Amino acid sequence: MNHVSNRSSNSPNVDERHLMFDDLEKLGRILVETGDIAHSFVQGVDDMDVTCRDFSAFDPSRPLQGQGRGTLDALRAAKEEILPLLAASIGPRYLGFVTGGTTPAALAGDWLASAIDQNATGPEGSVNAAVEEQVINWLCDLGGVPSDRYDGVLTTGATVSNLLGLVAARQWCGEQVGVNVDADGSGVLPDLEVFAASPHASMIKDLSITGIGRNNFTKVATKPGSEETDIADLKAKISASDARAKIVIASAGTVNATDFDDLEAIADLCAAYGAWLHVDAAFGFFAALDDRRADFTKGIARADSITSDGHKWLNVPYDCGIFLTRHIAVLETCCRAFAPYLDTKADGNSYINRGVENSRRFRALPLWMTMVAYGRDGVASVIRANCDQAADLAAWVRTHERLELFSEPKLNVTMFAARGSDEDNRALLARINATGKVFMTPTVYGGRFGFRAAFSNWRTCDDDLVIIKQAIETAL
């Protein structure tokens, strides 16, 4: 079929292929309009409600039309129907979860990644694999682990990175006792035991996905009033274990109190008892960039595997997870993909053999762009500022007659509540978030319901802290 001859047709029978070719001719205008809409959204988040609470204007059951409308009409529809109902999660007062924004450089990199649309599987015919290799080396430098000993892969997020940690650990454990889990299945691995004190929800999910089981781990005690691993209890439990295959899951920045395990002590125990040490450092990995907190991650370079995220404190767009390991060959054993069309003699890393995905977005490019644009010092300045902001909010809560601080923030998260019942605090949190000025997520800490404010956005500044405090005061 000769598509060109029909590109200008206005017939209602023109199919979607012809609309696509029409749009290709209009691409310059489409990109300009897309840029204008995106620019308005990014610049307007300071004045938007931080979250949307009423989606009734959007009907998810509306059927798909047979005749397309073209990209310009679709853009206008998105601007009218979707953008007004979104959260301003890229903005400076979205304090839920641990959500970064998007730096201008990372945004540009992400748009380029979409435009060039590389399937970043490996080195065949493209520099994408070399870019990912460089980015991983830079990430090692930012986190204070030696790039000549660690290698890894970019993933969709910490959930998949934690999954890779479990998969590689299980294979390695099998190799230590002479069995091959990759080839023969997990049933050949005798008496595997997993030890964890404060595993993240994603790790519990991964225990299920791997078939180990959500409940099938040994709960290690935490220090009193802390989420930090009690080393004495871990030593007692790992030394008493008869399992020949052992995995220890440690934390570098727990989700609530941002507690850091004593990684040196845990690494010593893992070495003594032949255990794989996995460190979940989803955002705490980058604490090394704050000189005042660099000691928090001491010992992390002894981990067998490390999880972190780019879409948290590095402020690159979703999705971007980070997995690092000292045992890259073990990971590649577990994740390698076989097919004649995948065979390549090109030099470089085949990232298809290091993760869950066969088809992979070029997520290294936004990271590369933001690190080149702002450097180590730029990333470090965000880390320091967010930690200071958490401390500032904590100081205000500490002196407030109606509020109570749950724990002193060690990093970038402040936990607190009003003096009163859990039921009263649930209602108060709803009122705070309903102001539209700030969004915080709930938490339970020390058996009490409270609020969790996580500072992880590069745009948050002192003026935002004033607005956040006013919103809390108004809701009290």
Side-chain angles (χ1 to χ4, degrees), residues 117-146:
D117 198 23
Q118 301 288 286
N119 186 0
T121 59
E124 186 67 50
S126 171
V127 75
N128 70 81
V131 174
E132 187 158 346
E133 180 180 356
Q134 186 176 68
V135 162
I136 288 168
N137 287 336
W138 289 351
L139 290 169
C140 288
D141 177 64
L142 292 181
V145 299

Side-chain angles (χ1 to χ4, degrees), residues 360-387:
R360 304 177 68 249
R361 178 173 173 77
F362 190 15
R363 57 178 63 91
L365 188 54
L367 275 167
W368 189 91
M369 285 284 291
T370 203
M371 287 192 278
V372 168
Y374 310 119
R376 180 188 182 92
D377 292 346
V379 177
S381 69
V382 176
I383 306 301
R384 289 193 298 268
N386 286 161
C387 291

Side-chain angles (χ1 to χ4, degrees), residues 144-427:
V145 299
S147 60
D148 60 343
R149 289 171 51 205
Y150 282 85
D151 205 341
V153 64
L154 299 177
T155 71
T156 57
T159 301
V160 170
S161 294
N162 279 335
L163 178 67
L164 295 180
L166 284 177
V167 168
R170 186 167 59 181
Q171 176 68 14
W172 179 86
C173 286
E175 291 175 1
Q176 308 314 298
V177 296
V179 300
N180 189 336
V181 174
D182 171 70
D184 302 319
S186 58
V188 301
L189 183 62
D191 47 7
L192 171 68
E193 189 166 2
V194 179
F195 302 85
S198 299
H200 188 268
S202 64
M203 183 59 79
I204 302 300
K205 181 177 182 176
D206 290 334
L207 287 170
S208 171
I209 293 170
T210 55
I212 295 171
R214 290 177 183 267
N215 300 323
N216 195 24
F217 72 95
T218 297
K219 181 71 170 71
V220 178
T222 55
K223 291 183 176 181
S226 169
E227 293 174 328
E228 183 182 340
T229 298
D230 185 315
I231 300 299
D233 191 59
L234 175 60
K235 182 177 182 179
K237 286 174 176 170
I238 200 170
S239 62
S241 173
D242 293 326
R244 289 192 291 162
K246 302 180 183 71
I247 302 170
V248 176
I249 299 166
S251 297
T254 57
V255 70
N256 282 320
T258 60
D259 284 323
F260 286 73
D261 284 334
D262 184 341
L263 299 177
E264 288 279 21
I266 294 175
D268 286 344
L269 289 173
C270 288
Y273 293 97
W276 176 288
L277 172 56
H278 176 75
V279 177
D280 186 339
F283 56 99
F285 188 57
F286 301 106
L289 292 169
D290 185 343
D291 293 341
R292 302 164 299 180
R293 295 169 171 84
D295 285 347
F296 287 0
T297 58
K298 186 179 179 181
I300 198 168
R302 296 178 64 188
D304 293 287
S305 56
I306 302 167
T307 281
S308 193
D309 262 332
H311 54 229
K312 289 184 172 67
W313 235 345
L314 293 187
N315 281 253
V316 301
Y318 284 96
D319 54 28
C320 183
I322 300 159
F323 180 71
L324 302 172
T325 181
R326 291 192 289 118
H327 308 274
I328 197 66
V330 175
L331 179 67
E332 290 179 338
T333 294
C334 300
C335 297
R336 66 198 188 283
F338 297 107
Y341 70 92
L342 296 175
D343 187 38
T344 179
K345 299 297 187 289
D347 291 333
N349 297 326
S350 290
Y351 288 99
I352 189 176
N353 295 327
R354 294 186 176 187
V356 174
E357 307 153 297
N358 278 13
S359 300
R360 304 177 68 249
R361 178 173 173 77
F362 190 15
R363 57 178 63 91
L365 188 54
L367 275 167
W368 189 91
M369 285 284 291
T370 203
M371 287 192 278
V372 168
Y374 310 119
R376 180 188 182 92
D377 292 346
V379 177
S381 69
V382 176
I383 306 301
R384 289 193 298 268
N386 286 161
C387 291
D388 289 345
Q389 288 151 5
D392 182 289
L393 181 61
W396 179 74
V397 168
R398 195 185 308 111
T399 59
H400 198 290
E401 61 182 10
R402 299 180 62 186
L403 299 174
E404 183 178 357
L405 188 66
F406 281 6
S407 68
E408 293 294 334
K410 299 177 180 66
L411 206 62
N412 64 324
V413 176
T414 306
M415 292 187 299
F416 66 102
R419 301 182 189 278
S421 69
D422 286 356
E423 183 178 353
D424 289 340
N425 275 302
R426 286 189 178 90

Side-chain angles (χ1 to χ4, degrees), residues 102-126:
T102 301
T103 66
L107 174 59
D110 199 62
W111 281 13
L112 280 175
S114 293
I116 60 184
D117 198 23
Q118 301 288 286
N119 186 0
T121 59
E124 186 67 50
S126 171

